[in-house]
Amino acid sequence: MTGSGDAVGNRAVSALFRVFGGPGRRWVADGFERTTFRAMHAGERLLLGWLVSLTVFAAVSEWLVRWTGPWIGWLLVLPVGLVALNLLAFFVPGKKVAVQWWSWLLLLTAWAWWRKDAGNHTAWFAWLWLGIFALNAVAHLILLLGMTLRISGWPGMVWRLSLFFGLHVIAFVDHWFWGWTWALLGGMSISVIYCLAVLRPRCQWLGPVTDFREGRPPLITIDDGPCPDETPVLLDLLDRHGRRAVFFLIGDKVRAHPELAREIVRRGHEVGNHTMTHPQATFWCAGPWRTRREILECQKVIAETTGVTPRLFRAPVGHRNLFTHPVTAELGMEVMAWSRRGFDAVDKDVSKVLEKILPVGRGDIVLMHEGTGIAAEVLGGVVE
Ligand SMILES: [Zn+2]
């Protein structure tokens, strides 16, 4: 996500849909909401518009059938339900949609707690609302955790480390209550979640990652340079097509070929930070000191060599670790992944690589590498 959103500033009203409602760029408000409310998620409209009504009808039908018998009871459900719904809508407070959401959620959760053992169709609705309430609570916890994950610099790294060890301690302590099986399962789940967060380059669990730029022209990003064999060829090719790219440079290689790094900047391209030594096998599990050193040293070398301080960071093979984001936040950098790639660092068949990258559309961020021997052909295919 770019974090820019669209002009309306859409954001789900509830934590529930902010967390579980899918990526922000798919949220669209219609004209009614634009003029009346801040914005509303489609799922929230569905819940407040339909599920609330259905629940009220279910509650009314239970009551009517009990007092008037099944026949008359079911006949009266529609008119009485409509009256009840209108009365409730009149009395439930909140002109703002956020207050409305909370009012209905609390009202229906209280009702659900009361009716959950009803033993008929009302209980079914009651459990549904209890589930919605529980999920909403979980979503609030996730948002709270997300807030704490935005702490930058050393305080952020210490906090993340404490959280990581704290969770393991909790899993370990589990064995006194539920035995070793659950303790082990808890510990393993933490590892699996961590691996998923780190090893999937576009995953945002550890902090914001730009992998798509809504509405912007496609962006070509070239990793692992500068490279004496290929950088000059790529620069000429980009010039010929009037294209600008982002070169994610490795600090050590900038030190070895400073004139190439300067040439990239001179020709109007952006340079990004791709760590000092590109530890592709171990960056995912690097500790706080090493992570910081890799990013800071590369930043320093690029700034000293080219006079430009990078504002973009890309982790080696896209594997960020627990401490990457506090460092990049401290330096005011954006972590960038990609939306299209052709695995050009492993596959030497240009047509296969291009087949995976293309088609490239608006918003796409294309990842390619130099030093592969096929970089010029790949770039040629992409710019055309
Ligand atoms: Zn790389």
Side-chain angles (χ1 to χ4, degrees):
M1 269 186 280
T2 57
S4 59
D6 60 38
V8 193
N10 284 338
R11 207 159 85 117
V13 169
S14 60
L16 177 68
F17 283 94
R18 239 177 265 168
V19 173
F20 301 114
R25 57 177 175 266
R26 288 196 201 126
W27 301 342
V28 177
D30 59 39
F32 172 72
E33 281 150 6
R34 208 167 301 168
T35 51
T36 314
F37 303 126
R38 186 177 51 164
M40 210 173 182
H41 190 279
E44 283 166 340
R45 281 204 296 265
L46 221 62
L47 270 189
L48 286 184
W50 284 98
L51 199 58
V52 166
S53 314
L54 283 174
T55 311
V56 170
F57 281 120
V60 164
S61 71
E62 184 199 29
W63 180 76
L64 278 174
V65 168
R66 190 184 305 154
W67 292 103
T68 62
W71 283 101
I72 303 172
W74 282 109
L75 272 175
L76 288 175
V77 164
L78 198 63
V80 177
L82 278 174
V83 171
L85 197 59
N86 274 295
L87 274 175
L88 274 173
F90 187 74
F91 285 111
V92 166
K95 271 193 175 143
K96 287 192 177 146
V97 75
V99 184
Q100 280 270 329
W101 161 262
W102 272 110
S103 307
W104 283 109
L105 185 67
L106 291 179
L107 183 76
L108 285 163
T109 305
W111 168 84
W113 190 253
W114 174 46
R115 298 312 298 160
K116 67 184 191 304
D117 302 319
N120 54 26
H121 62 282
T122 12
W124 191 82
F125 279 97
W127 281 107
L128 199 61
W129 279 102
L130 289 177
I132 292 169
F133 184 81
L135 270 182
N136 196 57
V138 171
H140 272 281
L141 274 180
I142 292 176
L143 285 183
L144 192 73
L145 193 70
M147 259 164 62
T148 69
L149 289 182
R150 261 174 250 148
I151 307 170
S152 77
W154 279 111
M157 289 193 249
V158 171
W159 164 246
R160 283 171 184 233
L161 202 61
S162 322
L163 203 66
F164 193 70
F165 280 118
L167 285 173
H168 280 90
V169 169
I170 292 172
F172 175 77
V173 168
D174 265 4
H175 85 268
W176 278 303
F177 299 97
W178 297 297
W180 278 111
T181 317
W182 284 104
L184 211 66
L185 223 59
M188 268 157 54
S189 318
I190 298 169
S191 307
V192 170
I193 289 171
Y194 183 66
C195 286
L196 283 175
V198 163
L199 301 181
R200 294 180 310 148
R202 301 173 70 175
C203 181
Q204 313 242 356
W205 296 348
L206 295 173
V209 175
T210 307
D211 59 0
F212 192 82
R213 306 186 312 155
E214 186 76 41
R216 308 266 298 273
L219 181 70
I220 298 169
T221 65
I222 305 166
D223 286 15
D224 297 359
C227 161
D229 296 331
E230 292 189 306
T231 306
V233 188
L234 297 180
L235 288 173
D236 289 344
L237 195 60
L238 287 164
D239 271 353
R240 261 207 304 288
H241 288 86
R243 292 273 183 183
R244 293 287 159 266
V246 178
F247 286 77
F248 281 99
L249 305 179
I250 298 170
D252 273 347
K253 293 195 183 174
V254 172
R255 204 173 259 168
H257 312 287
E259 70 295 341
L260 285 177
R262 280 193 284 272
E263 186 62 10
I264 292 170
V265 172
R266 200 186 64 77
R267 302 251 200 132
H269 303 285
E270 182 163 357
V271 281
N273 182 324
H274 197 37
T275 69
M276 191 61 199
T277 66
H278 201 269
Q280 57 183 36
T282 53
F283 192 71
W284 70 276
C285 60
W289 284 274
R290 188 154 157 246
T291 304
R292 201 178 148 81
R293 204 171 55 234
E294 281 288 347
I295 301 174
L296 278 180
E297 281 184 7
C298 178
Q299 193 79 343
K300 200 166 153 242
V301 169
I302 293 179
E304 281 174 2
T305 310
T306 65
V308 175
T309 307
R311 46 166 212 93
L312 295 173
F313 173 76
R314 177 171 286 158
V317 258
H319 297 167
R320 298 127 300 109
N321 63 44
L322 199 58
F323 310 105
T324 309
H325 282 90
V327 181
T328 53
E330 184 189 348
L331 298 173
M333 301 179 90
E334 186 178 339
V335 179
M336 184 169 271
W338 53 82
S339 58
R340 317 284 314 171
R341 69 163 153 181
F343 297 94
D344 54 342
V346 261
D347 197 343
K348 296 297 166 222
D349 186 335
V350 178
S351 61
K352 271 191 195 155
V353 167
L354 283 174
E355 205 173 282
K356 286 182 201 116
I357 294 179
L358 303 172
V360 173
R362 277 191 94 71
D364 272 327
I365 298 173
V366 180
L367 162 69
M368 54 167 290
H369 296 84
E370 48 184 324
T372 56
I374 55 165
E377 285 173 85
V378 173
L379 183 62
V382 172
V383 290
E384 267 157 35

